[in-house]
C-alpha cells in the first residue's frame, strides 16, 4: 500500500536469440504507473495514530531474462511460451502528515508469457503476448510488440 493494484503501461526493449526452437531473451522494462496523486491519498494507522499518506512519485525499472520455446508452423505465425525472470527496481516518494520520505526497493519474480509472433516482412515482425506472474510483482500483463529480425 498505497500501490496495491496500480496499473503500469510502458516500454519494453528485448533482444532475443532463437536456436533450434529454444528462445533466449534479455530485456529492459520502463513502465509508467497510471495513477494520480489524489488517487493515492489514504489513511493508515501507524503507531496507534491515524496518518494521511499521499504518494508523490513512483519510478519503476526492470531487467528481464528468460528462456522458452517456439514452434515454427511453416506459416508466418509462430506460437511461443517463455518463463521470464524479472528484477524490478522501484523508488517512490511518500508524504506522511506533510513530511516527505523517499523509499526504494528491489524485487525478483518469475512469470510465464505466451503468445504468437507474426513475421510481417523478412526483417519485420509483430508479436502479441499475455503474461501471468508466478511469485512476482506482476499479477498479469499483455503486450503488443513490433521489431526487427535478422532471419
Amino acid at each position: 500500500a498505497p500501490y496495491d493494484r496500480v496499473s503500469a503501461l510502458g516500454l519494453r526493449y528485448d533482444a532475443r536469440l532463437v536456436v533450434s526452437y529454444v528462445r533466449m531473451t534479455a530485456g529492459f522494462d520502463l513502465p509508467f504507473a497510471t495513477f494520480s496523486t489524489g488517487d493515492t491519498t489514504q489513511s493508515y494507522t501507524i503507531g496507534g495514530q491515524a496518518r494521511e499518506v499521499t504518494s508523490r512519485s513512483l519510478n519503476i525499472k526492470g531487467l528481464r531474462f528468460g528462456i522458452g520455446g517456439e514452434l515454427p508452423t511453416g506459416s508466418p505465425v509462430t506460437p511461443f511460451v517463455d518463463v521470464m525472470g524479472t528484477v524490478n527496481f522501484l523508488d517512490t516518494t511518500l508524504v506522511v502528515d506533510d513530511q516527505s520520505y523517499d523509499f526504494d526497493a528491489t524485487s525478483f519474480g518469475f512469470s510465464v508469457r505466451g503468445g504468437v509472433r507474426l513475421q510481417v516482412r523478412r526483417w519485420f515482425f509483430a508479436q502479441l503476448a499475455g503474461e501471468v506472474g508466478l511469485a512476482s510483482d506482476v499479477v498479469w500483463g499483455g503486450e503488443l510488440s513490433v521489431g526487427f529480425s535478422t532471419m
Side-chain angles (χ1 to χ4, degrees):
Y3 301 115
D4 294 342
R5 305 226 183 261
V6 170
S7 296
L9 307 169
L11 302 173
R12 172 172 290 157
Y13 300 96
D14 277 345
R16 189 169 302 113
L17 175 64
V18 180
V19 178
S20 299
Y21 310 114
V22 176
R23 296 164 47 99
M24 294 158 274
T25 304
F28 177 74
D29 281 351
L30 188 58
F32 308 101
T34 58
F35 68 91
S36 66
T37 304
D39 294 340
T40 59
T41 300
Q42 298 177 1
S43 293
Y44 295 96
T45 301
I46 302 172
Q49 294 183 357
R51 306 280 183 172
E52 291 292 318
V53 178
T54 303
S55 170
R56 291 293 181 210
S57 68
L58 176 63
N59 299 309
I60 310 165
K61 294 175 183 69
L63 294 176
R64 294 171 55 93
F65 54 91
I67 191 160
E70 67 179 36
L71 183 62
T73 61
S75 71
V77 177
T78 304
F80 63 87
V81 175
D82 296 321
V83 175
M84 302 297 295
T86 305
V87 179
N88 287 313
F89 304 95
L90 176 135
D91 62 77
T92 185
T93 301
L94 294 176
V95 177
V96 179
D97 293 338
D98 297 325
Q99 291 288 333
S100 181
Y101 300 95
D102 294 325
F103 297 95
D104 58 28
T106 303
S107 65
F108 176 79
F110 286 104
S111 61
V112 175
R113 175 174 66 177
V116 293
R117 187 181 69 243
L118 174 64
Q119 198 69 36
V120 179
R121 299 268 189 252
R122 178 183 167 126
W123 303 99
F124 181 74
F125 71 88
Q127 177 175 292
L128 183 64
E131 187 170 350
V132 176
L134 307 172
S136 173
D137 295 337
V138 174
V139 176
W140 64 270
E143 68 179 68
L144 173 61
S145 306
V146 293
F148 298 98
S149 58
T150 58
M151 296 205 150

